[in-house]
Amino acid sequence: MRKLLAICAAIFCIAAASDPAERLPDPGQEARARAIFAEVRCLVCQNESIDDSSAELAGDLRRLVRDQIKSGRSDDQVRTYLTDRYGEFVLLKPAFSWGNAALWGAPFVVVILGLFLLLRNLGAPRPYAELSQDEAARLAALADKEQT
Amino acid sequence: MIAETGAFALILALVLSLTQVVLSVLGRWRRASVLAGAGAGAGLAAFACVAVAFAALMHAFVTSDFSLANVAANSHTEKPMLYKVAGTWGSHEGSMLLWCLALTGFGAAVAGFKRGLPAGLKAVTVATQGALGTVFLAYTVFASNPFQRLVQIPIEGRSLNPLLQDPALAFHPPFLYAGYVGMSVVFSLAVAALVEGRADAAWARWVRPWTLMAWSLLTVGITLGAFWAYYELGWGGWWFWDPVENASFMPWLIATALLHSAIVTEKRGALAGWTVFLALGAFTFSMLGAFLVRSGVLTSVHAFAVDPTRGVLLLMILGVTAGAGFALFAWRAPALSPGGVFAPVSRESALVLNNILLAAATVTVLLGTLYPLIREAATGEAISVGPPFFNLTFTPLMAALLILLPAGPLLAWKRGDALGVAQRLWVAALIAVGAGLLAFAAVSPRKALASAGLAMGVWLIVGALVELAERTRAFRGSGAETWRRLTGLPRGAWGMTFAHLGLGVFVLGACFETSWKSEAAETLSLGQTLNVGAYELTLERIEGGDGPNYDAERATIIARKDGALVCTPKPERRFYPTGGQTTSEVAICTKGFNHLYVVLGERRPGDVWLVRAYWNPWALLIFLGPAIMALGGLISLSDRRLRLAVGRRALPA
């Protein structure tokens, strides 16, 4: 049952981005395009980047990104262009926004909360005091007597 | 007839599970060992019945009995025998039956062990296990019965998805389910601890072997899934942070935390409440996984509407069982003893830090998986949470954990000696930093972060070896003494060493492969070549060939390095006429720990074929590491101290 979605996707989608027919002639631009592909969701596939997908729409999106890069846009401009057209949904990396504060913040809140609880526990008054040297010696003597 | 026997056995198992609950509860309440014993007997009988039902379903798959709706939908006469058998658990209904088989099986195992567990604790554990069995069996019988007959019997079945027809995936679900459901025993033990008000060292000693077993099985299951994704999906990736993967990863993270906190509870009597909490959490995450995967809520919002009853029912099961468990926890946990005190620098503190980081990692994966749903429900805006999110949050948490890891086992209980640990580990730190610098200088292209990851892997491996050397007084005592200590080490210690070594091996492989793999793709006609890494691949010939249930196109490719023949990968492209699907069979040449990974793509006009090749350095370590970890779990499990029936505590309460 596991990976059903990857399975469905994989039937059509096999790392299509590296298809030589689609590539940009400039290797630097191509590398930038590939880096962006990994962060862009193939909207009709489930949780797949357009780098991995060979669905038709993913091909269209790749062409769009490559065209943008060819016409000299920066990476950020390309991302903005995509979100303007398709909404935040298209980016696999959620924006650092208030709406996503809980998402980005939760790991750190858990760590801080955990450390706080640990420190409070360490600083808590001990339920019983440890034995002094004198008391320890007396206890040892008592234990010896018990054994003999 | 056999199918009816199976259906009947399944219903009987449901009744027996219910009987198991009633008798065990009565046995505990009246303190009547006869009733409790009868409850345990009902548990054994329930397992036998589910086994009969499972065998009946397997028989239907093997004989291609298409009068069963489930077989007709998921099997085919021409399918190879292995996949007919694996088809038993290849569908939703069949896998629920496998789940029940594992659940009642573990229940029977708990019920069957005569010695060890105090009678009260055992009766409540058996009762809880029976209750879980009742719930899931009822779900299987009423909402996803695999024995439903068809009125009009088809001549041929619709076959199993060809991507699932793979040896790794045939064995992946049994391991995964055994791991998932193994956590149910831990859950039941936690409920029993809360009811009886005792989560002491003896209890923790009972929790550990079950957790270890479930953890090891889950490790194997997840690794098989990742390995399958690696060579079957055909783009060289092995982990995608896909919700379905996350669903199996969360119980693993919690189980890992539980393994460590249970040690503190066993050795020092501390963290009892937290250990119980994690024990409840592990199976809760298993059930959450089952819900997420089956309801379709995450893969597509629409899939939920296709069969809303199943998803809603699973959600109800999850809510009721986990809710009851945690409500009991809220009520009874304050009664558990607080346990021993420890200094800020101590093994307890190190293990608590381990737990904090693993808990944070679990929350990260959980939120990363569910946040799009929450956000959409709350604001109506759709967002995506993909690999870049996990790389930025999960990875630093794990990095912190890995840096601390080698110090943990070297610290003493109660009050550790930070300076002493630093003295023991500085050589390891030096080697790790050296390895990182070497990687940075020698491997091109230069990658600082990846080199740091490599250093981390070396740090873990050398750190585990330093701990072993400390235990055996290697380099300090005589060789004979070291040997004596080495052979006298408890299996539990070896298990820990292997698990930590395996993690290091995995980190090495994951960092190296992810950062330094190279890929190439070209359309080739016969005789043309393609370069990837240091290799030159020539498309030698293409031939047709038919498999049992598919037509294939097979390429023969010659791989050369510096003109010398290295290997001849033979990737395939298969067409399955039954479902009209095409799959690609990757060819992998293993060179040391490295993989040369070749995929045959589609044929293009002009008799050219798209060929893609990847050079995946150290890729083997990614799968070898978890295998070593699971082996560590098994070695630990064989420790005398943790043997399931600890004879010494054979007291009827």
Side-chain angles (χ1 to χ4, degrees), chain B residues 273-287:
Chain B
W274 173 245
T275 302
V276 170
F277 184 80
L278 287 177
L280 293 173
F283 190 59
T284 303
F285 274 107
S286 292
M287 288 191 291

Side-chain angles (χ1 to χ4, degrees), chain A residues 1-7 10-11 13-15 18-21 23 34 38-39 41 46-48 52 88-94 96-97 99-104 106-108 110-111 114-115 118 121-122 126-127 130, chain B residues 91-92 95 161 163-164 172 176 222 225-226 228-229 233-235 242-245 248 293 299 342-344 352-353 356 360 364 367 371 375 382-386 388-389 392 397 519 521-523 581 584 604 610 612 614:
Chain A
M1 286 311 290
R2 193 168 117 81
K3 293 192 155 286
L4 257 188
L5 106 197
I7 292 152
I11 293 163
C13 311
I14 300 170
S18 54
D19 190 331
R23 251 174 245 160
R34 292 294 301 274
E39 290 179 17
R41 183 182 198 135
Q46 287 299 329
N47 243 18
E48 252 198 319
D52 297 332
E88 226 188 303
F89 185 66
V90 78
L91 294 185
L92 283 170
K93 179 177 158 188
F96 294 107
S97 64
N100 296 334
L103 176 66
W104 287 104
F108 304 97
V110 173
V111 171
L115 288 178
L118 174 63
N121 193 358
L122 289 171
R126 304 190 166 193
E130 285 186 25
Chain B
S91 66
H92 164 79
S95 64
N161 185 326
L163 276 165
L164 300 176
H172 160 67
L176 197 67
I222 295 173
W228 168 80
L233 298 189
W235 64 83
D242 153 317
V244 183
E245 292 173 340
S248 68
V293 175
T299 49
F342 49 89
V352 170
L353 278 179
I356 291 171
T364 307
L367 263 185
Y371 200 76
R375 177 89 193 267
I383 64 157
S384 302
V385 180
F389 167 78
L392 280 172
L397 287 172
E519 65 168 86
E522 291 298 343
T523 44
Q581 292 140 312
S584 60
R604 299 243 163 116
L610 183 63
R612 287 180 303 108
Y614 298 78

Side-chain angles (χ1 to χ4, degrees), chain B residues 180-448:
Chain B
Y180 273 164
V181 178
M183 303 297 174
S184 69
V185 180
V186 183
F187 182 93
S188 300
L189 280 168
V191 169
L194 289 168
V195 170
E196 301 289 315
R198 57 174 290 191
D200 49 15
W203 174 81
R205 182 169 287 197
W206 267 88
V207 166
R208 275 183 68 198
W210 289 105
T211 316
L212 261 175
M213 184 182 61
W215 177 88
S216 302
L217 292 165
L218 202 53
T219 309
V220 173
I222 295 173
T223 312
L224 280 177
F227 189 55
W228 168 80
Y230 174 72
Y231 73 74
E232 185 69 27
L233 298 189
W235 64 83
W238 43 273
W239 191 259
F240 306 94
W241 293 109
D242 153 317
V244 183
E245 292 173 340
N246 293 349
S248 68
F249 193 40
M250 288 186 282
W252 187 88
L253 286 169
I254 290 290
T256 311
L258 174 60
L259 274 180
H260 291 89
S261 82
I263 297 174
V264 182
T265 308
E266 185 194 330
K267 302 277 179 181
R268 301 279 307 137
L271 300 186
W274 173 245
T275 302
V276 170
F277 184 80
L278 287 177
L280 293 173
F283 190 59
T284 303
F285 274 107
S286 292
M287 288 191 291
L288 179 71
F291 162 69
L292 290 179
V293 175
R294 284 151 205 286
S295 65
V297 62
L298 282 173
T299 49
S300 150
V301 182
H302 304 289
F304 205 98
V306 175
D307 189 1
T309 37
R310 279 181 186 168
V312 169
L313 279 174
L314 276 173
L315 192 60
M316 279 167 59
I317 291 176
L318 171 64
V320 168
T321 45
F326 284 108
L328 187 66
F329 179 80
W331 177 37
R332 299 282 293 181
L336 298 176
S337 75
V341 291
F342 49 89
V345 177
S346 61
R347 195 182 296 182
E348 287 96 323
S349 281
L351 288 168
V352 170
L353 278 179
N354 152 306
N355 270 239
I356 291 171
L357 290 166
L358 281 172
T362 313
V363 169
T364 307
V365 178
L366 179 67
L367 263 185
T369 311
L370 295 182
Y371 200 76
L373 283 180
I374 300 169
R375 177 89 193 267
E376 189 160 14
T379 64
E381 294 165 71
I383 64 157
S384 302
V385 180
F389 167 78
F390 295 100
N391 291 342
L392 280 172
T393 50
F394 183 83
T395 314
L397 287 172
M398 279 301 114
L401 183 67
L402 300 187
I403 288 175
L404 289 171
L405 195 153
L410 290 174
L411 282 165
W413 292 107
K414 269 186 101 174
R415 189 182 295 278
D417 173 13
L419 198 67
V421 170
Q423 278 171 346
R424 291 185 181 108
L425 280 176
W426 72 268
V427 177
L430 218 61
I431 294 174
V433 171
L437 288 176
L438 191 71
F440 185 68
V443 187
S444 74
R446 282 189 183 169
K447 292 187 174 180

Side-chain angles (χ1 to χ4, degrees), chain B residues 527-538:
Chain B
Q528 283 190 314
T529 58
L530 158 79
N531 289 311
V532 61
Y535 294 85
E536 194 186 73
L537 308 180
T538 310

